[in-house]
Every structure is written in C-alpha cells, then in structure tokens.
Amino acid sequence: MTTLFSWTGIDTHGPASIYIASDSRISWGGNATWDVGRKIFSSRNHPEIFGYCGAVAFPIQVLGQLTNLIDDGLLFDDSDTIKIKIEKIKSTIKNSLMAMPSCQRGTCEILYATRISNRMNSSFHAAIIKIRTDGIYSEEFVLPEKSGLIASSGSGSTSLKKWHDIWVGNPSQDPFLSGRTSRNVFSAFCDSLASKQDTFSGGAPQLVGIYREGAAKNFGVIYNNKRYLNGLEVPPSCELNSIEWRNELFERCCGNSMNVLGKAQRQPRLKGLLDPYS
C-alpha cells in the first residue's frame, strides 16, 4: 500500500490550487520494497492530475496512457463538465481492465483532480475512482472551504491523520483553526513519511498540482537534502530550474542550490513540534 492524498490551497478569492502527493514505496510480500516507484501523473498540456494506491501493475500502465490521451487531445473536449470527464476516465479504465486477465487485476484506488476554465472563472474538482473485484466506482468530492485535505488513501492514512492533526489541528474540535494551509498539509505528510510509522510507505515524496491558470505542474521535491522527481533522485543539471521545486516545508527552492529562493516566504517548523527527522 502507500500514502496517497489530495488537498486544496485557498486564498481570499477561494480555491487557488489543488494538489496530489504520494510516497514512492512499492511493496511485495514479506519485506520486499522498492522506494523509487512512480505513483503520480500530470498532463503536460492540460490541468489534469492523477495518483494511485493499491495494486500497481494496472494503474501505473493505464494512468500513463490516460495522460498521453489527454495531452494529445484525444480524450476530453473543451466543453466537458466534471461529470463527463469522470465518465470518460471510468470508461477508458474499464475498457483497459476488461482486456487484462482477471487473476492479475487486483484492487486499487485512483485520485483524480482537474480545473474547469481558468483564472478567476476557474473551478477545481476532485474525485476518487475505486477499482474493485465487482466493478469500478467513482465519487466526486466536495472541496473544503479552507486549505485542507480532500481525501487520503492507502495504509499510511492513519499516520498522515496523526501528523495532520499535529500540524493543522482537528477541525472537529476547533472549527476556527488557522493552521490549515498548503504548507502545513504537505509538511504533515513529509513528517508522517519521515516518522516511518507506516512500514508500507517510504522513499521520497512525490507532488503534482494545478494552479488557476496553465497546465498541471510536476514538482521536484527536495527531501533529506537530495532532489527527487516522481520518486527518482535527480542528478545535477544545468536545467534543474526548468521545473518548480518545493522542500519538506513546501517552500519554493532553487533546484541547483536546494536553498529557499530569495523572495520566497520562509516557513519555519512549528515551535515545540516533534521532529521526525532527528
């Protein structure tokens, strides 16, 4: 299993961004693990992002195919509503799944997020598609009014909730909490991962997102003083800053130096918070 989750970023004008993040560990029976498995996907040309947890073989194939169809303009029309998009994704998944030997299908969950329109007319949407032995099911989420979790899946969800409550607080106990920011949500996830409380979650964080304008973003992540993209360590390169980089505290960073960018807002750890990295 894994830790897979999605959240929104909110500003004074409402939803300003939406993200999906995951760990990088793929596990087999016993203690066999691989910490550089890709679990999230983003369109290069459109505001569409995906992530998966559960059985690996099917979703890692179909999501790569889906993003290629989207990028080549072969799946969605500009006039598609969120419900039409979800149905097209489900239909594509079903057609592919039915061609796979039933003994190899397994069960998995796919998180999907998108943006309709752009700039101040934009609206963000998210859904989960559950692939079960008895069928394929989908559920569209109601997005929170403040920055916060939309959904989490996988074996690491319990650990994530614990660290999320530490960083953000428990809204059921205090509905006026001020710590519900993208920075706190992502920091909680990184702390959960570093704590190793879920043995099936590991490797580096992976992160994709959508802003109010433009195509989806595939973020590089600086984690334990190393650079990662989609779970794979990135070597030094003159083109490192061709993508956007974030560290464990969600600070914008320079890909070359790995330092926080000069004008980026610094985000210190919360005072008195347990440090899972120590």
Side-chain angles (χ1 to χ4, degrees), residues 120-138:
M120 300 313 296
N121 293 322
S122 62
S123 62
F124 293 92
H125 305 269
I128 189 167
I129 298 168
K130 298 180 180 181
I131 299 171
R132 300 290 184 254
T133 55
D134 62 342
I136 301 174
Y137 307 92
S138 64

Side-chain angles (χ1 to χ4, degrees), residues 261-276:
L261 290 174
K263 295 183 179 180
Q265 183 177 359
R266 293 184 177 273
Q267 307 284 1
R269 290 184 62 83
L270 299 179
K271 291 183 179 180
L273 184 66
L274 176 67
D275 188 352

Side-chain angles (χ1 to χ4, degrees), residues 46-241:
H46 302 279
E48 314 286 339
I49 54 177
F50 300 89
Y52 73 88
C53 68
V56 173
F58 177 72
I60 201 169
Q61 292 292 329
V62 77
L63 292 182
Q65 294 167 331
L66 271 169
T67 51
N68 284 342
L69 284 174
I70 292 168
D71 279 337
D72 291 336
L74 302 176
L75 188 64
F76 296 146
D77 296 321
D78 291 342
S79 60
D80 284 351
T81 64
I82 180 59
K83 294 188 183 302
I84 291 175
K85 284 187 171 186
I86 292 171
E87 286 305 313
K88 286 183 176 181
I89 291 170
K90 283 178 62 179
S91 177
T92 304
I93 289 174
K94 181 179 180 180
N95 290 340
S96 180
L97 187 67
M98 292 301 101
M100 190 176 195
S102 57
C103 61
Q104 298 297 324
R105 293 173 188 173
T107 61
C108 62
E109 295 183 354
I110 293 172
L111 282 180
Y112 166 59
T114 185
R115 186 193 71 234
I116 303 294
S117 194
N118 56 66
R119 298 185 181 179
M120 300 313 296
N121 293 322
S122 62
S123 62
F124 293 92
H125 305 269
I128 189 167
I129 298 168
K130 298 180 180 181
I131 299 171
R132 300 290 184 254
T133 55
D134 62 342
I136 301 174
Y137 307 92
S138 64
E139 176 188 355
E140 186 180 354
F141 297 112
V142 176
L143 301 191
E145 296 180 356
K146 296 183 179 180
S147 297
L149 282 173
I150 299 170
S152 63
S153 298
S155 59
S157 294
T158 300
S159 176
L160 174 60
K161 182 181 184 304
K162 170 188 172 182
W163 287 94
H164 181 267
D165 286 351
I166 292 172
W167 271 92
V168 179
N170 189 333
S172 66
Q173 297 175 2
D174 184 355
F176 302 104
L177 289 163
S178 60
R180 300 180 70 182
T181 66
S182 290
R183 171 259 176 143
N184 286 3
V185 175
F186 188 68
S187 297
F189 168 60
C190 290
D191 279 7
S192 172
L193 196 56
S195 73
K196 301 181 181 178
Q197 291 170 344
D198 176 53
T199 58
F200 296 103
S201 299
Q206 302 179 26
L207 177 65
V208 291
I210 304 170
Y211 294 150
R212 277 203 181 103
E213 187 175 9
K217 297 282 187 180
N218 195 12
F219 295 91
V221 178
I222 297 169
Y223 183 70
N224 288 334
N225 297 313
K226 295 181 180 179
R227 307 176 195 87
Y228 294 92
L229 182 65
N230 299 325
L232 188 67
E233 186 174 353
V234 179
S237 166
C238 60
E239 301 296 332
L240 284 170
N241 285 315

